[in-house]
Amino acid sequence: MDNTDIEYLRTRRIYTAVFHIALFSLFLYLLFSPETQNPVGGRSGHMRDFSEDWTVNGAASVNLDQFAAADYGGSATLSRALPESLDWNDQLCFTTANLRFTVSIDGVEVYSFDRPENLTGKGYGIAYHSVNLSPEMAGKTVVIEGESVFENHKGGRLYQPLIGSDAGFRYFLAGRNLISILFSAGMLFVGVMLILIYAFLPKKQRMRREIVSLGAVAFIIGLWSTNDTGILRLLTGNVVVDRVLDHALLHLLILPLALYISANTKERQTRYLRMILALTLLDIGCFLLLRYGFGLDMAWLSPILAAYYVLSFTVLGAMFVSDSRYRRRNNITVERKLSNIGVAAMTVSIFLDVAVYFMGVRSMQGRGFFMRFGFVVFVALIIIQTIRWWITDRTSVNRDRFVNRILQYAVSASDPDTSIRAMLEYLCTELHADRAYIFEEMPDGTFDNTYEWCREGVTAEIGNLKGLPYEGVVDTWYNEYKKSNNILIYDIEEYRSVSEGMYNVLKPQGIQTLVTGPMEANGRYIGFFGVDNPPPDAMREISEIIRLLSFIFAQLVLHRDEQKRLMRYSYYDAMTGCRNRRALEEFEKQRLDPAKPYGFVMCDINGLKAANDTLGHEAGDAMIVDVSQSLMKVFGADNVYRTGGDEFVAYAQREDPAAFEADMAQLHALLAEKKRSAAVGAVFRANGDPDYKKAKSEADALMYEDKRKYYQGRNDRRGS
């Protein structure tokens, strides 16, 4: 990782911090905005509070926000004088809950509200009303005669009376519950997105059940809590849909919640799910029977719903306890901290709402004020934990599948180099690391990075990591390998106290986390391999994989070395180190590109026989080595071939004749410096030539011409 990458990461962190600060600031503004805290006025069109000084049944004076018909035997007559000044756009706006009523001004009925019995019973919940006013009504007395819709005279409320426009009233209602609406709509959106994600996931994708069940939980909670804020009724005015959603959704919540919890247990016993299903069917059956068989209003069946929740949570608690025992017996650890916090938040919020309900607090609109936020916290934490589990699941690769795949790479190619590189690519990609690499011990006792694979965007380091010393650097790891057979670095800064030398090697590469293991062969370490910057939560799993691959990588390296030795015997000349005739034939068949410019050189040593006869074969061998080294220095070791006892050929990969001529001049200078003589024939194909045999024939003719000149006047062509 270079300075550009580091600067990019710093910039990204700054932008991320600014984004979160801005988002949090927006949330605080919405929460504490004057219009949210007190929407009367502002954009609401200067709504006037009209809740004080109402007369009930001609006697008591009350604030309508505290009024309930049940306190007056189920019915009451409310009256108050209208303001002394009214505009043509003014309306008397207010909210009712399970109340039928008529509105009269100076004895003239101007508005009435009643609804027939619906699917859920006689109750029709919260409703919003706007009564038209006019300037001539100023100062007149408005009378509201209200009655609870229930036969037992329970319930029946009228509250939030305001004078202003209908649009302003709706803005006031939305602003009053803005935070609840935002949370509820956000939860609904999350549920829909999770269900859509499930629909597009492959069938074999793990955690599909968790995703769809969690999506169903978030969708149900989001829809119920959104409906409970009154925003759907405010937008549509539909009573039946509002009441059906209000009563039906909570009966459908427990089953997907149980499916999600069951999918994340290790014991995976279905008896608890069967019990939850039975309780759900029993609960729904009781509601339907009592409602449509006996005609009871669903508003009075809440104790059955409460009992259903208590029994269901008891079963879910038993599922947790049983799974915890199972995990302890089998030594299985599962991170559940976030879900436990979510369950605690949801439980506390439910108890707060129950307490508020029995205390008769009427200042909160709708039921489940605290439960709504408790459910939001619960689902949000569950989603975060599920994402963490999903990431962990993807990085905690199934060992059998992973190792089997690695073995396929190891045996699929005849060339060990190809197998090693393919294995490193798979290792790095599958483990979500930045780099995968191998270091090998060199003949001088230092260590070189010999193989490397980097994910896209990561700077390669193989060219920089050569000659690592054993003392003070690698010896630290070798000592740790003897203890644990691998090394896990979770924080490079903390590792500095362990090995300052290795820290100085790792830190400039941008390494923060690391897992590495040794390569061992014949009872000794021959190097090490590992991955840089894998996900910290997957490092334990990765360390086991590294341990399993240690032997495989070591054997591939040994096989590669053996293959190189065999290849050297097959394709290289043992005396000179340059390639042999077999290598030349293979090059000309498979690797030579006749479309590109190239030069061809033929070389025959002068005076070799005389040196062998008069000075001995050691002197002749020295001549062969000197000439071959001169050729390899000019044209490269991989481009020089020994085709006979004193004959060599070379290919020069040059783009223009001038560069080739410079090579030839350098060759003659080197031969003269070594006091060696050789006949040389050279041709250059500026435009390439597929008929390389013709080029060889021309070079051969030039070489023999040079040879003829060298021996001109001598009786023996091979004499001194």
Side-chain angles (χ1 to χ4, degrees):
M1 182 178 293
D2 56 21
N3 292 332
T4 303
D5 294 327
I6 296 173
E7 186 63 28
Y8 166 75
L9 290 176
R10 290 174 179 170
T11 304
R12 189 177 67 177
R13 290 185 185 125
I14 293 173
Y15 287 160
T16 303
V18 171
F19 171 77
H20 284 93
I21 291 172
L23 190 64
F24 185 67
S25 301
L26 176 62
F27 172 78
L28 292 179
Y29 171 77
L30 293 174
L31 186 62
F32 298 109
S33 168
E35 294 185 13
T36 303
Q37 297 295 312
N38 182 21
V40 178
R43 292 190 189 179
S44 60
H46 303 285
M47 303 295 293
R48 288 181 280 176
D49 188 5
F50 200 57
S51 59
E52 299 286 349
D53 302 325
W54 284 79
T55 300
V56 182
N57 295 334
S61 178
V62 299
N63 183 317
L64 280 195
D65 287 337
Q66 304 298 323
F67 168 78
D71 296 338
Y72 301 90
S75 63
T77 301
L78 306 167
S79 62
R80 180 187 166 175
L82 290 170
E84 293 300 326
S85 64
L86 293 173
D87 294 331
W88 284 106
N89 293 327
D90 280 342
Q91 294 174 302
L92 174 60
C93 306
F94 53 91
T95 304
T96 62
N98 297 315
L99 187 76
R100 63 171 68 96
F101 62 91
T102 60
V103 179
S104 302
I105 298 179
D106 264 7
V108 179
E109 183 178 318
V110 294
Y111 186 86
S112 65
F113 180 79
D114 194 6
R115 288 289 185 273
E117 186 171 334
N118 55 67
L119 293 175
T120 65
K122 295 183 178 180
Y124 37 73
I126 297 171
Y128 307 108
H129 312 276
S130 298
V131 180
N132 292 325
L133 302 175
S134 61
E136 60 264 21
M137 294 180 180
K140 295 182 178 180
T141 300
V142 57
V143 177
I144 302 176
E145 297 179 82
E147 179 185 11
S148 171
V149 300
F150 300 120
E151 294 177 356
N152 58 4
H153 306 303
K154 297 293 184 181
R157 294 181 57 202
L158 189 152
Y159 52 98
Q160 295 171 342
L162 301 170
I163 291 181
S165 67
D166 179 70
F169 180 58
R170 292 176 185 275
Y171 177 81
F172 161 77
L173 294 173
R176 187 172 184 268
N177 290 317
L178 181 60
I179 301 301
S180 297
I181 292 170
L182 290 176
F183 271 111
S184 303
M187 188 60 57
L188 181 61
F189 174 77
V190 168
V192 172
M193 292 304 298
L194 288 174
I195 293 173
L196 289 176
I197 289 173
Y198 164 80
F200 289 99
L201 280 178
K203 290 185 177 181
K204 293 184 179 181
Q205 176 68 50
R206 301 180 67 181
M207 297 190 72
R208 291 182 84 240
R209 284 199 308 162
E210 289 92 326
I211 291 172
V212 70
S213 56
L214 183 59
V217 170
F219 178 81
I220 292 171
I221 293 175
L223 185 57
W224 179 83
S225 59
T226 301
N227 181 68
D228 196 55
T229 63
I231 188 66
L232 297 181
R233 174 75 69 87
L234 189 64
L235 294 175
T236 65
N238 193 303
V239 173
V240 177
V241 172
D242 178 271
R243 298 299 287 169
V244 169
L245 289 177
D246 188 44
H247 285 285
L249 290 174
L250 292 181
H251 299 273
L252 305 176
L253 174 63
I254 297 296
L255 191 57
L257 179 62
L259 288 171
Y260 173 79
I261 294 174
S262 175
N264 285 288
T265 58
K266 296 298 181 180
E267 192 176 20
R268 300 293 174 89
Q269 293 201 31
T270 60
R271 68 176 184 271
Y272 298 107
L273 288 179
R274 290 196 295 268
M275 293 170 65
I276 292 292
L277 178 60
L279 286 172
T280 302
L281 294 176
L282 180 62
D283 168 66
I284 295 175
C286 287
F287 262 77
L288 294 178
L289 177 63
L290 293 174
R291 169 70 190 103
Y292 299 110
F294 294 91
L296 296 181
D297 197 291
M298 284 190 179
W300 309 116
L301 301 181
S302 297
I304 298 176
L305 181 63
Y308 165 60
Y309 267 71
V310 170
L311 293 174
S312 297
F313 274 95
T314 301
V315 173
L316 294 178
M319 183 191 299
F320 271 116
V321 171
S322 179
D323 184 62
S324 298
R325 291 175 179 173
Y326 175 83
R327 287 187 285 107
R328 282 196 299 270
R329 288 196 304 268
N330 295 276
N331 196 28
I332 301 173
T333 58
V334 178
E335 175 59 44
R336 298 189 186 277
K337 184 176 180 180
L338 292 178
S339 62
N340 291 338
I341 295 174
V343 169
M346 185 173 63
T347 304
V348 170
S349 66
I350 291 173
F351 277 111
L352 285 174
D353 272 325
V354 171
V356 168
Y357 176 79
F358 283 107
M359 290 170 62
V361 178
R362 294 169 181 165
S363 60
M364 298 179 182
Q365 180 178 356
R367 295 170 292 107
F369 181 84
F370 292 106
M371 184 172 66
R372 180 185 302 114
F373 293 100
F375 271 124
V376 167
V377 171
F378 168 73
V379 173
L381 292 177
I382 288 295
I383 289 174
I384 293 172
Q385 181 162 284
T386 300
I387 293 173
R388 290 175 58 180
W389 281 345
W390 196 1
I391 294 174
T392 301
D393 182 70
R394 289 174 62 83
T395 54
S396 299
V397 186
N398 182 281
R399 293 179 192 171
D400 291 339
R401 179 186 64 82
F402 192 94
V403 173
N404 286 338
R405 185 63 173 163
I406 283 288
L407 288 174
Q408 290 178 16
Y409 282 117
V411 301
S412 60
S414 58
D415 178 14
D417 276 327
T418 302
S419 296
I420 290 173
R421 289 187 173 88
M423 289 169 63
L424 290 177
E425 178 180 356
Y426 181 75
L427 191 69
C428 188
T429 303
E430 193 74 11
L431 300 182
H432 305 281
D434 283 354
R435 297 173 63 243
Y437 49 81
I438 288 178
F439 279 79
E440 296 181 57
E441 185 176 359
M442 298 292 105
D444 61 357
T446 62
F447 290 79
D448 284 358
N449 186 181
T450 53
Y451 296 93
E452 179 188 64
W453 194 88
C454 303
R455 68 173 176 84
E456 186 177 355
V458 175
T459 303
E461 298 287 349
I462 189 169
N464 304 325
L465 299 174
K466 304 293 184 182
L468 293 186
Y470 177 79
E471 296 292 338
V473 179
V474 179
D475 59 344
T476 304
W477 280 10
Y478 272 21
N479 292 331
E480 291 188 50
Y481 290 149
K482 294 174 183 177
K483 299 175 183 178
S484 60
N485 205 40
N486 55 45
I487 295 171
L488 285 76
I489 299 178
Y490 286 93
D491 187 339
I492 189 63
E493 297 300 332
E494 294 181 1
Y495 191 75
R496 186 172 190 172
S497 60
V498 178
S499 174
E500 182 75 22
M502 187 59 78
Y503 171 85
N504 293 331
V505 173
L506 301 177
K507 182 64 176 179
Q509 302 175 50
I511 294 174
Q512 298 298 323
T513 60
L514 178 146
V515 181
T516 177
M519 295 188 300
E520 186 176 1
N522 302 321
R524 63 179 294 270
Y525 295 146
I526 61 173
F528 56 89
F529 71 105
V531 292
D532 290 345
N533 294 329
D537 55 356
M539 287 177 59
R540 286 290 176 187
E541 182 73 16
I542 294 173
S543 68
E544 293 301 316
I545 293 172
I546 294 291
R547 189 193 305 272
L548 293 172
L549 297 182
S550 176
F551 175 79
I552 298 174
F553 273 117
Q555 293 304 309
L556 282 173
V557 169
L558 293 179
H559 180 45
R560 178 209 61 191
D561 292 342
E562 183 63 25
Q563 192 175 75
K564 284 184 177 180
R565 283 192 290 271
L566 294 175
M567 184 175 293
R568 180 162 291 277
Y569 292 142
S570 301
Y571 291 93
Y572 288 84
D573 178 59
M575 177 188 296
T576 62
C578 62
R579 296 176 178 255
N580 59 20
R581 183 183 292 276
R582 180 179 179 182
L584 175 64
E585 293 173 353
E586 185 173 302
F587 170 77
E588 291 175 340
K589 289 179 181 179
Q590 301 178 9
R591 296 170 54 198
L592 178 63
D593 186 355
K596 294 182 178 180
Y598 66 89
F600 182 77
V601 179
M602 296 192 71
C603 177
D604 188 296
I605 300 174
N606 293 327
L608 179 62
K609 184 177 185 303
N612 286 331
D613 293 342
T614 60
L615 301 176
H617 286 279
E618 289 183 359
D621 291 345
M623 292 177 64
I624 295 173
V625 170
D626 286 344
V627 172
S628 66
Q629 288 180 346
S630 299
L631 287 164
M632 288 189 289
K633 185 172 183 179
V634 174
F635 300 108
D638 290 339
N639 297 315
V640 177
Y641 303 85
R642 186 182 182 189
T643 57
D646 57 355
E647 295 177 351
F648 296 86
V649 301
Y651 276 96
Q653 306 297 323
R654 293 297 187 183
E655 296 296 327
D656 57 77
F660 182 63
E661 290 296 333
D663 287 342
M664 296 307 300
Q666 183 185 8
L667 174 62
H668 288 298
L670 287 173
L671 292 175
E673 182 182 334
K674 294 178 181 290
K675 298 181 180 180
R676 303 300 185 189
S677 176
V680 178
V683 296
F684 186 77
R685 294 291 191 259
N687 298 318
D689 187 356
D691 189 3
Y692 60 88
K693 292 183 178 180
K694 181 179 179 182
K696 292 172 69 175
S697 178
E698 292 179 16
D700 184 62
L702 292 173
M703 181 193 70
Y704 274 99
E705 176 61 21
D706 192 25
K707 175 76 70 175
R708 186 188 65 78
K709 293 178 180 178
Y710 177 78
Y711 288 109
Q712 190 173 15
R714 301 173 183 271
N715 294 325
D716 182 5
R717 177 179 177 275
R718 293 185 179 270
S720 60

